[in-house]
Amino acid sequence: MIFVNDHGTLINIPSWMGHADAAADAMGFADVIFPAFLFIVGLSVPFAIQNRLRKGSSIQSIAIHIAGRAIALLVMGFFHVNLGNYSDSALLPRWLWEIIITFSFFLIWLDYPKSAGKNRVVYLKTTGISLLVLLALLYEGNSEAGGQIGMRPQWWGILGLIGWTYLISSSIFLFSKGRILVQIAAFLFFIFFNCAAHSGWFSSLDIVKEYIWIVGDGSMPALTMAGVITALMYSKLGTANKYFWLFILAGALAMLAFGLYTRPVWGISKIRATPPWVGICTGISMISFAVITYLTEIRGLKSWYNVIKAAGTSTLTCYLIPYIHEAILEVTGGRLPMFFRTGTIGLLKSLIFSLCIVLIVRLMEKKRIRLKL
């Protein structure tokens, strides 16, 4: 995600590397990354919830934990979305507002060690919450009609979308006690909802869509539930069982076929979250999971990803650090020469930048500076 987000600083890169236009019947490499992340969220849900149940947590306490994580992601997404139309006439410059909200996120959701002391942790968390409230009050954004507006919900941002999707999929798994048939039924329901929404079957409900709806017209929970089902099959069968590999192959081919078959009807589009995009990205994610599982568990090749391990163990921290970098560039006006932001050289720059972020977070982990929801 860091790599493709940095593409916005580049010029003259291959069109297939970026995001396809909203109106286009197409998808690029960048359009596969976010749905793959949602699939990975689904992969983690069964293991995380089952682990808590084994440790003796009640369903109620886990539900509260799920809600807390979702709210945290929604809050961060809410601030990031409003950052996008921050006004130059606001009291605080945009770069400073961006740095302080990121700092506040760390104060609130830092993985504090036990040695920090309860009172100190409460003080720091309260400080972070107070800063966010103050920044919300000081916020000024540009309205479409001109003039300034305050903070308001829009499309929730990437983190907000993850929050809603995580809340839905985790709740389904928790309250159904992980029954595989329920997970499959939920996945099929979200696929159907996505198809129905794009077919205009719910047009009479447009009046409530802004207030009550399934995120992404059901597309995003579908991607996550596909991950949940894959994790359950992996857990129940294991890689030594040929039926696990048959499930992966059959599931991936079925989703790819669904995406390609329905493409003439709805077209492929990440921005519009169409059913073909969901099907194709689900198939790609399942194949990618199979390849990585084969490399790590069958071939025993595990050391190759150590250099980017922090991207998995401190994912949210990795996602937020580039906002600090962006703010620093804005205040300093520092930009690399166009030579380093063009074509293949530019893509190499984005790759190096992504790796640097992960390595920085790896160093932060050693100092126990990481977010934990």
Side-chain angles (χ1 to χ4, degrees):
M1 290 177 75
I2 298 170
F3 175 64
V4 297
N5 285 346
D6 195 59
H7 288 178
T9 66
L10 310 180
I11 62 171
N12 297 334
I13 62 173
S15 58
W16 64 268
M17 287 292 294
H19 292 289
D21 292 336
D25 171 24
M27 60 184 287
F29 171 74
D31 295 323
V32 181
I33 306 304
F34 181 53
F37 187 88
L38 293 176
F39 182 84
I40 294 169
V41 170
L43 288 175
S44 71
V45 165
F47 298 106
I49 292 179
Q50 289 169 351
N51 184 51
R52 285 183 172 270
L53 288 171
R54 279 194 296 269
K55 291 181 177 179
S57 298
S58 65
I59 290 180
Q60 182 182 8
S61 66
I62 296 174
I64 292 172
H65 176 72
I66 289 170
R69 298 182 87 183
I71 290 170
L73 290 168
L74 288 170
V75 168
M76 285 186 258
F78 177 65
F79 274 84
H80 281 165
V81 163
N82 283 277
L83 177 66
N85 63 334
Y86 195 84
S87 175
D88 292 336
S89 64
L91 180 62
L92 295 179
R94 183 184 185 279
W95 64 267
L96 181 58
W97 199 84
E98 185 174 10
I99 287 177
I100 298 176
I101 64 169
T102 307
F103 177 68
S104 300
F105 296 158
F106 275 86
L107 285 178
I108 300 170
W109 292 292
L110 189 69
D111 184 14
Y112 289 101
K114 292 182 180 180
S115 59
K118 185 177 180 180
N119 291 338
R120 185 181 180 188
V121 170
V122 170
Y123 170 76
L124 292 172
K125 286 179 177 287
T126 302
T127 301
I129 294 170
S130 300
L131 281 173
L132 287 185
V133 172
L134 177 62
L135 291 170
L137 294 174
L138 294 176
Y139 175 87
E140 286 186 13
N142 296 313
S143 69
E144 295 179 0
Q148 274 65 52
I149 55 173
M151 293 185 69
R152 55 178 182 146
Q154 297 173 48
W155 62 279
W156 292 107
I158 294 296
L159 293 180
L161 294 179
I162 294 171
W164 282 121
T165 305
Y166 167 77
L167 177 63
I168 293 169
S169 58
S170 296
S171 298
I172 291 171
F173 184 87
L174 176 65
F175 292 111
S176 69
K177 298 182 179 180
R179 290 191 289 270
I180 186 69
L181 291 180
V182 177
Q183 316 312 307
I184 294 173
F187 169 73
L188 293 175
F189 167 78
F190 291 128
I191 289 289
F192 168 79
F193 191 94
N194 189 232
C195 294
H198 283 277
S199 297
W201 294 0
F202 300 143
S203 57
S204 60
L205 300 176
D206 285 348
I207 191 172
V208 301
K209 186 174 182 179
E210 185 178 350
Y211 309 100
I212 304 174
W213 207 248
I214 301 176
V215 61
D217 289 334
S219 64
M220 294 171 196
L223 289 158
T224 306
M225 292 309 301
V228 170
I229 296 166
T230 301
L232 283 176
M233 296 300 290
Y234 167 84
S235 180
K236 291 179 183 296
L237 298 176
T239 55
N241 192 318
K242 65 179 181 180
Y243 290 108
F244 167 73
W245 299 103
L246 287 174
F247 160 76
I248 289 287
L249 178 62
L253 290 177
M255 293 312 299
L256 289 170
F258 167 76
L260 295 173
Y261 181 76
T262 58
R263 180 180 182 181
V265 181
W266 296 296
I268 304 172
S269 175
K270 173 186 181 289
I271 304 299
R272 291 180 282 120
T274 61
W277 171 74
V278 175
I280 292 171
C281 289
T282 300
I284 291 173
S285 297
M286 293 182 74
I287 292 171
S288 300
F289 174 74
V291 170
I292 294 173
T293 302
Y294 173 77
L295 290 175
T296 56
E297 296 201 21
I298 304 300
R299 298 297 302 274
L301 303 175
K302 300 179 180 180
S303 60
W304 59 272
Y305 58 76
N306 284 340
V307 67
I308 58 168
K309 189 175 180 180
T313 54
S314 298
T315 309
L316 185 57
T317 308
C318 283
Y319 184 80
L320 290 179
I321 292 301
Y323 283 92
I324 299 292
H325 174 262
E326 177 186 298
I328 292 172
L329 287 183
E330 185 173 337
V331 68
T332 61
R335 290 286 179 187
L336 288 173
M338 287 306 303
F339 173 79
F340 294 105
R341 294 188 282 131
T342 303
T344 303
I345 298 297
L347 290 172
L348 181 61
K349 185 273 291 187
S350 291
L351 186 61
I352 293 173
F353 170 72
S354 305
L355 183 59
C356 287
I357 293 295
V358 176
L359 293 178
I360 288 170
V361 172
R362 185 178 180 180
L363 293 174
M364 292 171 64
E365 275 189 335
K366 293 181 179 180
K367 299 294 185 180
R368 203 180 173 84
I369 304 173
R370 62 186 291 268
L371 294 169
K372 183 179 181 181
L373 302 184

